[in-house]
Amino acid sequence: MYDVTSNEELAILGELERKTLWLASWTIHNANHLRESDDGLKVGGHQASSASLATIMTALYFAVLRPQDRVAVKPHASPIFHAIQYLLGKQTRERLEAFRGYKGAQSYPSRTKDADDVDFSTGSVGLGVAQTLFSSLTQDYVRAHGWGLDRPEGRMVALVGDAELDEGNIFEALLEGWKQGLRNCWWIVDYNRQSLDAVVREGLWERYEQLFKNFGWDVVILKYGSLQQAAFKEPGGEKLRQWIDNCPNPLYSALVFAGGAAWRKRLTDEIGDQGDVSQLIDKRTDDELAALMNNLGGHDLPSLLEAFHNADNDRPTCFIAYTVKGFGLPMAGHKDNHAGLMTLAQMATFRQAMRVRPGHEWDPFEGLSFPPERLQAFLYRVPFAAAGERRLQAPQIEVPDELRPAFQAVTSTQTGFGALLNDIGRGDGAFARRIVTTSPDVTVSTNLGGFVNRRGLFARQAMADTFKSERIPSTFNWEFSPKGQHIELGIAEMNLFILLSALGLSHSINGERLLPIGTLYDPFIARGLDALNYACYQDARFIVVATPSGITLAGEGGAHQSIAEPLIGMAQDGLASFEPAYVDELAVILAWAFAYIQKSGGEISERNWLRDETGGSVYLRLSTRPVEQIAREMKPELRQHIVDGAYWQRKPGPNCQVIVVYTGAIAPEATAAVGLIAEDRRDVGLLAVTSADRLNAGWTAAQRARERGLVHARSHVERLFADVPAHCGIVTVLDGHPATLAWVGAVAGNRVRPLGVEHFGQTGSLADLYRHYGIDANAIVAAAQAIAPGRPIRHLKALP
Ligand SMILES: Cc1ncc(C[n+]2csc(CCOP(=O)(O)OP(=O)(O)O)c2C)c(N)n1
Ligand SMILES: [Mg+2]
C-alpha cells in the first residue's frame, strides 16, 4: 500500500512533517503579522488546530493515499493541506502568501475556489465527513451499474475534528451507511480532546468506539506512539501507562503546554517514589521527557503508517488518533489555543528550531538535513501525486430537447412530474439509464413511485419484493438490485442533500456522469438547508423536486406549510429555482434542467449571470393542487420565456392600469381575478412567473452590466415591461413569501402591492386558507382596486 520501506524514508517523512508544520505556521503568521491586511482581522482557529493534524496528514498524503482516494480535510487544517500541496508542486507561493486574501488559498479547503485539488470542501463542520460516506456509496452505485470498472476503486477519507462529532448529521449518515453496506471509507478522528471553547468529556472515545462498532465499522485506537510503547516496556513502564490512562484530559493538555520540567515534577510527585518509574523519568532530559509524553499515537509516524497499512481492506474504519492541539508549537495543549496566534518572538524561536533563514521562509527544503535532490526525488515518487490530474471528466449525456407527457385536462404539477418521469423510465437509452433518483422516505408521496416501479431500487445485493413473491397485490414493485436506479433513504433531509452532493459530483470523482433527482416535501428544504448550500458550493449537479408546497397543501396540515422556500430558491447560489403552474411549463423546465445540470465551462460574468453556459443545479417547487391546464402549442418563444422566468399570459394593452403577476399553483385565482378586473379596467395584463429567481438574477446582472459600460444590456423582465406605462399598478401574488415578487415594481418604476403568505400553521380547506391569507381572487381584485383607483370594480363585493 505505502512505500516507506527504509529508515531513511521514514526519516524523510519526519522532515516533511516538520516542513509542513513550518509552512502552515508561516502561512498563517504571514497573513496575520506581515501582510498588509485590508480588514485588520486576524485569522483565528488555524494554527493550533492545523498542527494537531500535521503528522496524520503527512503520513496520508506523502505515503498512504493513492490517486483514486478522496479526502475531506477538517476545515481548520486547511493551512496544512495547502502546505502539503505546495511541497507536491500543486500550490503556488503567491496563493499561500495571499492566504485568506482575495483569490488566495482559502481558510477552509474549497473544491471550487481553491486551485490545489481540494477533493471535498469543508467549513460547516460535519458535512464534509458525511460527504465521504455518501461518495463511497456513489462509487458503489456507479460500479454496480458496470461503469468505470477500468479504474481502481478509491477510498473516501475524512479527517474529523473530535468536537466535529457533535454534529448530528454525522450520525444520520452513519445509520444510512450501515443500511447501505458502506465500504471503502475511513474516518480519522483528530482526538485532541479540545474543541473551540472547551476540553472534551472524559472517556468520549469509548462512546465513539461502541457507536462505530454498532454501525459495523472497524475501530482502531491510536493512543500511544512508538516512543511511549518502547517506554512501557522499560522497568516501571507499566506504571507510566496507568498514569497516562488515568490522567484527565484537561491536566494532560495543561502539562503538554507547560513542558518537560512540569512533566517531571508532576510525574515524580505522583508516581516517582516507585523506584523503577523514577529511573524511567530521571534518565530523560526535560526535552526528552516532553517528547515522550507528547508522543501520542496521532503524532507518531511509525504507528500511523502501521495502522493504515493494517487497514488495507474495504471495511469502513474509524481511527481514533490521540493528538495534541498545537503540536510542535508554543501554544500546544493550552485550552485557549483555538484562536491562538504565535507572537513575533515565538515565531523567531520556532524559526530557529526549524533552521529557516530570514528570506528563505518559503523555500521547500530550507533547514532540512537531507539533500534537496533526495527530498525532491522522494516527492516525485509520492503515489498520491504521481498520476497527475486527479479530477476526472465525463462526457455529457444526450438529453431530449422536449418532453411531451400526456396529461389530464385538470392536473397538478406533482402528478405531471410523476408522469414525466414515468415516461422517461420507459426509455432504455443512456438518458434513462443515467438518471438516479432518491428520496428520504417520501418516494411515493412525491409521485416517484411510477419511475421506481420501472427502474427498481438500488442495493449492492439483490432482494426480492416479498409482497410480489407472496402474490399479494400491490401498486408498487420494490425489488432491490445492483441495477436499480432509486436510492431509498431514511427520513433525514441532511442525508438527501449530501447524497445529492455526492451523486452530483460523480462525473468529476468517478469519471461517470449521473443525472440525480431528489424529492422531498418543500418545507423540509429548511431541515437540510446547510447541506443543500454545501452541495451547491461544491458545484455538485442535481435536480431537487420539492412537493407539496405552501399552504396549497391545505388540509394536509399547518405543520407542513412552506413560506420562505421561494426566497431560499432565489437566494441560494448555484441553484436555479422554478415554480411552474402548468404541466407543459414543467415539461419545458425539466428538459432544460437535464441539460443545464451537465453544463460546464465559461466564467460566470455579468453577461452570463444565469449560468446558462456554466450550468448549476435546479430546484422545482411543485404542488399537489389540480389545476385546469391551458390547451396551447408550445412555441419556441414561449419555451424560452418559461426558462428565462416569465411570459405574458395576457399581454397588457397601451392603456393598462393594472397588471397581475403570479407564480405557481395560485394561477386559477390570478386568472379569475384578471377576468373580473378586466370588466372595469382596460388592457389588464397577466404575467406568469415561472422563475422569480432567474427573472431577478437576469435583471440584477443587466443593471450591473450597464453600470460597467455595457449600455445595451437588457434583461428578460425589462423587455417584458418595456411597454408598460409607468402609472400602471402591479399586484403580485404567490403561495409563499410576498417579497419573492415584490421587486418587480422596481424594474420600470411601477407601484406594487405584493400578496403572499407571511404567517405559519393555520389549517383549513384551500378556499379557507387562500381567503385567510388574502391570496384568493377577491383579495387580488381588492388589491388592484386599491393600487389602481378609479371606477369601483363591480365584482369585488360579489365574491364570497
Ligand atoms: C456548523 C458549524 N458550526 C460551528 C462552526 C465553528 N467551529 C469551527 S471549528 C469548531 C470546533 C473545533 O473543534 P474540533 O472539531 O475538535 O477541531 P480542533 O479545533 O480541535 O482541531 C467550531 C465550533 C463551524 N465551522 N461549523
Ligand atoms: Mg478537537
Side-chain angles (χ1 to χ4, degrees):
M1 171 190 211
Y2 64 90
D3 198 18
V4 181
T5 47
S6 64
N7 284 340
E8 191 200 37
E9 292 198 323
L10 193 60
I12 290 177
L13 271 187
E15 296 249 274
L16 291 175
E17 180 202 4
R18 278 157 43 87
K19 184 46 73 181
T20 299
L21 183 59
W22 162 262
L23 285 169
S25 305
W26 184 252
T27 300
I28 297 164
H29 186 76
N30 177 68
N32 279 291
H33 288 289
L34 307 181
R35 202 178 66 215
E36 197 67 23
S37 161
D38 35 11
D39 50 18
L41 293 175
K42 300 280 185 200
V43 181
H46 277 102
Q47 218 145 25
S49 198
S50 281
S52 190
L53 271 171
T55 327
I56 293 171
M57 288 175 69
T58 299
L60 285 174
Y61 281 93
F62 293 121
V64 177
L65 293 175
R66 306 151 306 172
Q68 65 269 30
D69 298 331
R70 299 287 182 272
V71 192
V73 175
K74 179 185 82 165
H76 283 133
S78 162
I80 295 280
F81 172 79
H82 294 312
I84 289 173
Q85 295 292 46
Y86 179 64
L87 290 173
L88 290 172
K90 293 186 182 179
Q91 176 60 291
T92 63
R93 173 174 166 178
E94 290 69 36
R95 287 201 205 91
L96 289 185
E97 284 187 304
F99 176 62
R100 76 162 223 147
Y102 185 61
K103 303 219 164 162
Q106 291 260 325
S107 315
Y108 305 124
S110 169
R111 189 179 161 83
T112 46
K113 304 284 187 236
D114 271 318
D116 55 347
D117 202 16
V118 171
D119 290 328
F120 300 121
S121 302
T122 56
S124 176
V125 294
L127 301 182
V129 184
Q131 171 87 31
T132 58
L133 184 151
F134 286 108
S135 287
S136 191
L137 297 182
T138 299
Q139 176 175 261
D140 278 346
Y141 178 93
V142 165
R143 297 176 76 88
H145 285 78
W147 300 317
L149 294 174
D150 51 338
R151 291 193 193 92
E153 232 169 39
R155 181 179 282 126
M156 308 298 162
V157 181
L159 297 164
V160 191
D162 46 2
E164 192 166 11
L165 280 168
D166 286 330
E167 287 287 2
N169 84 276
I170 291 180
F171 301 96
E172 296 176 8
L174 267 180
L175 185 52
E176 201 58 52
W178 173 78
K179 290 186 208 163
Q180 312 270 354
L182 174 69
R183 308 181 306 137
N184 293 315
C185 191
W186 280 4
W187 287 358
I188 303 166
V189 180
D190 175 11
Y191 196 58
N192 60 24
R193 291 148 288 148
Q194 283 189 260
S195 63
L196 229 160
D197 293 339
V199 176
V200 305
R201 294 282 184 284
E202 296 303 326
L204 194 57
W205 63 272
E206 288 173 291
R207 317 298 124 205
Y208 294 155
E209 186 185 24
Q210 277 313 316
L211 223 138
F212 278 92
K213 283 189 172 161
N214 283 342
F215 286 119
W217 289 53
D218 289 347
V219 178
V220 178
I221 296 176
L222 286 151
K223 182 162 183 183
Y224 317 108
S226 50
L227 291 180
Q228 290 187 347
Q229 289 174 35
F232 298 156
K233 293 196 181 116
E234 292 176 29
E238 198 42 44
K239 286 271 177 328
L240 179 68
R241 181 213 288 268
Q242 280 166 17
W243 186 89
I244 291 177
D245 285 351
N246 293 331
C247 180
N249 290 335
L251 177 62
Y252 208 96
S253 292
L255 290 171
V256 165
F257 177 73
W263 278 117
R264 182 178 309 285
K265 177 162 187 340
R266 192 77 187 203
L267 289 170
T268 310
D269 284 355
E270 298 202 357
I271 49 174
D273 58 345
Q274 302 168 37
D276 287 350
V277 193
S278 311
Q279 223 182 352
L280 191 156
I281 299 167
D282 291 346
K283 78 178 200 201
R284 288 173 164 85
T285 64
D286 281 357
D287 282 351
E288 284 168 350
L289 191 59
L292 174 66
M293 299 308 283
N294 284 350
N295 180 241
L296 300 175
H299 292 301
D300 189 66
L301 284 168
S303 308
L304 288 165
L305 292 171
E306 190 189 340
F308 294 143
H309 182 73
N310 290 342
D312 195 13
N313 53 49
D314 71 358
R315 294 188 42 71
T317 304
C318 173
F319 299 87
I320 300 177
Y322 277 70
T323 54
V324 173
K325 191 160 167 176
F327 176 75
L329 304 177
M331 75 270 274
H334 197 292
K335 71 182 173 62
D336 302 342
N337 65 12
H338 188 79
L341 284 172
M342 281 156 77
T343 62
L344 291 172
Q346 286 175 327
M347 200 62 196
T349 315
F350 187 51
R351 169 202 291 282
Q352 239 174 3
M354 294 286 172
R355 295 189 291 152
V356 174
R357 290 165 295 163
H360 293 266
E361 293 85 358
W362 299 107
D363 294 1
F365 305 129
E366 172 77 0
L368 303 185
S369 37
F370 283 92
E373 314 77 61
R374 178 71 189 95
L375 293 166
Q376 194 56 66
F378 180 92
L379 289 174
Y380 281 143
R381 284 186 46 237
V382 163
F384 180 72
E389 187 62 43
R390 293 172 59 256
R391 280 198 192 182
L392 305 173
Q393 313 255 332
Q396 297 192 2
I397 308 297
E398 215 174 298
V399 300
D401 295 335
E402 275 185 79
L403 301 171
R404 289 170 177 266
F407 51 82
Q408 310 279 315
V410 177
T411 190
S412 69
T413 46
Q414 175 173 316
T415 306
F417 166 70
L420 281 160
L421 270 203
N422 193 28
D423 242 28
I424 293 169
R426 282 179 224 275
D428 60 359
F431 170 52
R433 277 188 279 117
R434 294 279 170 160
I435 289 179
V436 49
T437 58
T438 181
S439 183
D441 207 27
V442 289
T443 304
V444 175
S445 45
T446 55
N447 276 41
L448 264 182
F451 179 83
V452 178
N453 273 349
R454 289 188 188 285
R455 315 300 298 195
L457 287 120
F458 172 72
R460 271 194 301 121
Q461 253 100 43
M463 208 164 30
D465 183 338
T466 310
F467 275 68
K468 190 174 168 197
S469 50
E470 294 295 319
R471 294 173 198 277
I472 301 172
S474 156
T475 324
F476 300 105
N477 172 20
W478 296 76
E479 277 181 347
F480 286 88
S481 85
K483 295 283 159 265
Q485 284 179 238
H486 178 73
I487 302 177
E488 184 63 5
L489 287 175
I491 326 167
E493 287 72 17
M494 293 297 272
N495 281 346
L496 170 73
F497 288 117
I498 302 177
L499 174 58
L500 287 174
S501 175
L503 294 169
L505 286 174
S506 178
H507 53 281
S508 175
I509 288 175
N510 302 305
E512 294 293 336
R513 192 176 293 277
L514 299 173
L515 304 173
I517 302 177
T519 68
L520 80 168
Y521 296 174
D522 196 49
F524 304 132
I525 283 187
R527 182 70 167 259
L529 188 52
D530 197 25
L532 170 61
N533 180 49
Y534 175 69
C536 292
Y537 176 44
Q538 302 218 78
D539 203 22
R541 300 303 181 82
F542 52 87
I543 299 171
V544 58
V545 178
T547 179
S549 60
I551 57 168
T552 301
L553 54 74
E556 281 269 325
H560 282 9
Q561 293 170 354
S562 62
I563 297 175
E565 274 64 13
L567 292 173
I568 291 173
M570 285 179 86
Q572 180 58 54
D573 191 18
L575 190 70
S577 308
F578 294 85
E579 185 170 355
Y582 301 102
V583 175
D584 61 352
E585 295 170 0
L586 173 64
V588 167
I589 294 163
L590 196 59
W592 173 87
F594 281 122
Y596 181 73
I597 61 169
Q598 300 190 64
K599 297 225 158 119
S600 67
E603 276 279 297
I604 292 179
S605 68
E606 303 307 348
R607 288 170 187 274
N608 176 31
W609 203 253
L610 294 182
R611 291 174 171 247
D612 284 348
E613 286 123 57
T614 55
S617 286
V618 176
Y619 159 35
L620 307 179
R621 189 176 192 245
L622 305 185
S623 171
T624 41
R625 182 184 189 192
V627 166
E628 191 176 338
Q629 303 291 303
I630 306 174
R632 60 184 164 186
E633 194 190 335
M634 189 52 69
K635 299 221 171 88
E637 187 190 51
L638 178 56
R639 180 182 298 279
Q640 189 58 50
H641 284 201
I642 288 169
V643 167
D644 287 344
Y647 63 91
W648 285 116
Q649 199 165 319
R650 177 175 169 150
K651 204 168 167 26
N655 300 309
C656 173
Q657 294 171 320
V658 65
I659 286 168
V660 175
V661 176
Y662 81 94
T663 281
I666 203 84
E669 279 64 30
T671 312
V674 164
L676 295 174
I677 299 165
E679 301 207 357
D680 295 294
R681 293 284 185 283
R682 286 205 277 174
D683 294 353
V684 186
L686 179 62
L687 187 72
V689 175
T690 46
S691 173
D693 177 26
R694 283 174 57 87
L695 202 61
N696 179 267
W699 176 54
T700 315
Q703 293 176 90
R704 225 179 353 242
R706 288 196 293 270
E707 287 150 19
R708 292 179 183 178
L710 294 167
V711 288
H712 298 298
R714 271 304 161 279
S715 64
H716 181 53
V717 69
E718 288 167 323
R719 283 192 292 269
L720 288 171
F721 276 105
D723 297 327
V724 172
H727 64 264
C728 181
I730 299 177
V731 179
T732 66
V733 61
L734 79 156
D735 179 359
H737 197 278
T740 312
L741 292 173
W743 57 272
V744 297
V747 173
N750 298 86
R751 279 181 66 201
V752 172
R753 169 70 174 102
L755 304 179
V757 182
E758 290 158 285
H759 302 288
F760 181 77
Q762 181 61 54
T763 191
S765 72
L766 200 69
D768 291 337
L769 294 183
Y770 281 4
R771 192 174 333 107
H772 178 86
Y773 290 106
I775 55 173
D776 59 357
N778 202 22
I780 298 169
V781 173
Q785 168 80 66
I787 206 163
R791 194 148 65 91
I793 297 174
R794 282 167 293 167
H795 283 282
L796 183 55
K797 297 282 185 297
L799 287 167

